Amino acid sequence: MKKLLYILLFIPVIIYGQTAAYTQAGNTNAADENSNSGLSLDSCKSLALTNNYKIKESASEVSQAEQLKKSAFTAYFPKVSAGFSAVKMSDYLVKSSIPQMNLPVYDGNPANIPLATQFTYFPGMPLNLIDYMNFGFAMAAQPVFMGGRIYYGNKLARTGYEISSEKKLMTETEVLVKTEELYWNIKALTEKLATIDSYMKLLENLNHDVTLAYNAGLVQRTDLLKVQLKQNELEGNRLKLTNGITLSKKALCQHIGIQYDSTLMLTDKISVTENPVDLYVSPEEAVKNRNEYRILEKAVQAEELQKKLAIGENMPQLAVGVAGVYTDVMDKTDQLGMAFATLNIPISDWWGGSHKIKQSKAKVEYAGYRLNETTELLSLQITQVQNELNQNYFYIGNAEKSVAQAQENLKVTKDNYDAGITGMSDLLEAQSVYQAALDSLTEAKCNYQVSRAKYKQAINDYK
């Protein structure tokens, strides 16, 4: 009778032992096939590139740099300006008067004016002048020599645009790698949840059978309590996983710019088909392709251009131009044209300018030091990420061995329990070890996918 009871108890264990290895793929595929809101990893990446705020911000920075570059180019062309002023005064600008007097009568001979004997009376009159004036001008000035500031200013603006473009590419890669990290984290949690659900179903059947055996007086109450305690433990773990999946899905939806959907399913399977050796790139070679390296390299160029601009500020400046002036005062209009040339020599600025040039040279040296230091640090980072990739690949093989060993251990423990050699505690422990081995394999595969993405990011080969 007891032998028959053992067989009844372990029918679910045998079924679970045969099917648990396929739980990850089976449950996920079934859920994905029934889901109306499935998302692949590629579709998540596409959404992230379109909707992520960091990418939008970096695109805005590139647009700003592009407009600055176009603005700097206009300095090559003449500066044209025009203006007009119209003035109406509340009173005359010049106020005077001619007093009353007797004026000599002029007989046609100027010599007789001092000796005039006849006079005419002049009553006097006010003399008010200028109560309005109109003034207009148009001028065009062409810079001829500005100490190279226009040329180097344009190169500096182009360098700024190139730096912004590199930052945008770097941001896009960071967003895509983060998308993978969130995606595979959800997949790992989902697979662990499927494993727990299968284990809980097994324990429900086991609890039912042990309860019947206990009521029949065939087993001790401690066997029933052990099964129930394990059920309580799994229920707590399942709640944690469920909350983690919900939070992770919300984070993914926010990251790729879509509304949260509790029924969202991720359709990609967790698989590892390549050896990390196939991805290997020399760290010294990979560093030169990094966006960070190119940004700092262009930063050195920018400081060189800033130094040349500082030198140009202390050089003579020559410009030529033409101008036209229009005036209207007291109903009299005039037009005047002119050509001019200006030469500005900043003599008093040479003293302070020399220190500014030295400061620019120091900044160039500082930027060079940063480039060298960053090159070394990037090489170390690439090596570190490569080591993590190799380790995670090793963990996958190790976890696969652990799953096989745990499955074999579960079978042996079940056989010993059937023979009455081991107790319920050993059985439940063997089942827990098997579940942990499955979870470790899932986690190792997901960690490998994340580390693979980070390694391709580190060698700037992420696509």
Side-chain angles (χ1 to χ4, degrees):
M1 184 68 180
K2 185 175 182 181
K3 182 69 173 180
L4 177 62
L5 176 62
Y6 291 156
I7 295 175
L8 292 174
L9 290 176
F10 278 97
I11 287 176
V13 177
I14 296 171
I15 295 174
Y16 182 77
Q18 292 175 340
T19 60
Y22 305 100
T23 297
Q24 297 172 330
N27 288 343
T28 302
N29 291 340
D32 291 344
E33 290 172 0
N34 295 328
S35 173
N36 295 322
S37 57
L39 277 178
S40 66
L41 179 59
D42 288 339
S43 61
C44 287
K45 290 180 181 180
S46 178
L47 288 169
L49 289 175
T50 303
N51 301 327
N52 188 267
Y53 285 111
K54 289 185 178 179
I55 291 181
K56 291 180 179 180
E57 291 168 3
S58 63
S60 177
E61 291 178 357
V62 171
S63 178
Q64 295 175 41
E66 183 181 14
Q67 296 305 317
L68 180 61
K69 181 184 70 170
K70 292 179 178 179
S71 175
F73 183 72
T74 63
Y76 283 113
F77 300 94
K79 302 297 182 184
V80 180
S81 60
F84 180 81
S85 298
V87 180
K88 177 63 178 177
M89 303 177 187
S90 61
D91 204 351
Y92 289 98
L93 181 63
V94 178
K95 297 183 65 176
S96 184
S97 62
I98 302 175
Q100 61 181 354
M101 65 182 72
N102 292 320
L103 299 175
V105 177
Y106 179 55
D107 59 1
N109 185 357
N112 293 333
I113 291 180
L115 304 175
T117 58
Q118 294 182 345
F119 297 89
T120 182
Y121 176 73
F122 176 70
M125 62 176 292
L127 185 62
N128 299 323
L129 302 175
I130 309 178
D131 63 343
Y132 81 93
M133 64 175 66
N134 299 321
F135 176 81
F137 74 93
M139 180 175 63
Q142 173 64 53
V144 177
F145 179 77
M146 303 297 290
R149 286 191 294 171
I150 296 178
Y151 173 74
Y152 294 121
N154 271 268
K155 291 193 68 174
L156 183 61
R158 284 196 298 270
T159 301
Y161 172 76
E162 292 169 356
I163 289 176
S164 297
S165 299
E166 290 288 348
K167 287 183 177 180
K168 182 176 181 293
L169 293 174
M170 187 169 63
T171 300
E172 289 176 352
T173 302
E174 290 174 350
V175 168
L176 292 177
V177 171
K178 182 64 175 179
T179 303
E180 282 212 41
E181 190 173 354
L182 292 170
Y183 190 95
W184 294 118
N185 181 57
I186 294 173
K187 290 293 293 185
L189 294 175
T190 303
E191 298 296 339
K192 289 180 180 180
L193 182 63
T195 303
I196 282 186
D197 286 342
S198 296
Y199 191 15
M200 290 183 68
K201 186 175 181 181
L202 166 68
L203 289 179
E204 287 177 4
N205 295 331
L206 189 60
N207 184 34
H208 176 267
D209 294 338
V210 173
T211 300
L212 293 177
Y214 172 72
N215 292 335
L218 299 176
V219 297
Q220 296 181 358
R221 179 172 174 76
T222 55
D223 287 342
L224 178 61
L225 292 175
K226 288 174 184 178
V227 175
Q228 292 174 344
L229 287 172
K230 179 59 68 172
Q231 285 181 304
N232 294 337
E233 179 185 340
L234 290 182
E235 288 175 359
N237 293 338
R238 191 183 191 284
L239 178 60
K240 292 179 181 179
L241 281 174
T242 302
N243 292 337
I245 291 172
T246 300
L247 184 60
S248 297
K249 283 185 177 180
K250 288 183 178 180
L252 177 63
C253 290
Q254 188 280 330
H255 184 73
I256 64 178
I258 63 173
Q259 291 292 327
Y260 168 69
D261 182 1
S262 60
T263 64
L264 177 67
M265 300 298 295
L266 307 183
T267 60
D268 281 34
K269 298 179 181 179
I270 305 175
S271 61
V272 177
T273 59
E274 63 182 354
N275 192 308
V277 175
D278 300 331
L279 303 174
Y280 176 78
V281 176
S282 169
E284 291 74 17
E285 176 185 348
V287 165
K288 301 298 178 65
N289 295 325
R290 288 286 292 266
N291 298 111
E292 296 93 329
Y293 177 85
R294 289 200 287 260
I295 288 173
L296 288 176
E297 197 174 36
K298 293 183 184 299
V300 175
Q301 297 174 8
E303 293 297 344
E304 288 280 2
L305 293 172
Q306 290 282 11
K307 182 185 72 173
K308 292 178 179 179
L309 287 173
I311 294 174
E313 291 177 358
N314 295 282
M315 298 180 69
Q317 303 167 21
L318 175 63
V320 297
V322 293
V325 179
Y326 167 83
T327 60
D328 177 10
V329 181
M330 296 180 63
D331 296 325
K332 181 180 179 181
T333 61
D334 289 305
Q335 294 86 30
L336 178 64
M338 67 182 74
F340 63 88
T342 61
L343 177 64
N344 180 24
I345 303 176
I347 298 175
S348 62
D349 293 339
W350 286 347
W351 186 11
S354 64
H355 296 293
K356 189 173 182 179
I357 293 172
K358 291 178 181 179
Q359 180 188 22
S360 298
K361 290 181 179 179
K363 288 183 177 181
V364 172
E365 293 179 355
Y366 175 77
Y369 295 148
R370 285 190 60 195
L371 176 61
N372 294 334
E373 180 186 21
T374 303
T375 301
E376 297 172 357
L377 293 176
L378 288 176
S379 180
L380 290 174
Q381 183 202 29
I382 292 172
T383 302
Q384 179 184 10
V385 175
Q386 184 182 28
N387 290 340
E388 292 176 357
L389 179 65
N390 293 332
Q391 289 172 5
N392 286 324
Y393 186 74
F394 169 79
Y395 292 153
I396 291 175
N398 200 42
E400 289 175 342
K401 294 178 183 178
S402 296
V403 169
Q405 292 167 352
Q407 189 172 12
E408 178 65 20
N409 177 63
L410 178 60
K411 181 178 180 303
V412 172
T413 305
K414 184 264 299 181
D415 292 340
N416 291 337
Y417 188 84
D418 288 344
I421 300 174
T422 59
M424 179 66 72
S425 298
D426 295 327
L427 171 62
L428 294 177
E429 177 64 23
Q431 187 62 60
S432 296
V433 170
Y434 183 56
Q435 178 201 354
L438 290 174
D439 289 344
S440 296
L441 179 57
T442 298
E443 190 171 345
K445 288 182 177 180
C446 290
N447 287 342
Y448 176 83
Q449 294 292 349
V450 174
S451 60
R452 176 182 178 274
K454 290 183 177 180
Y455 179 70
K456 293 182 75 68
Q457 176 190 20
I459 62 176
N460 200 29
D461 188 36
Y462 189 90
K463 298 176 182 178

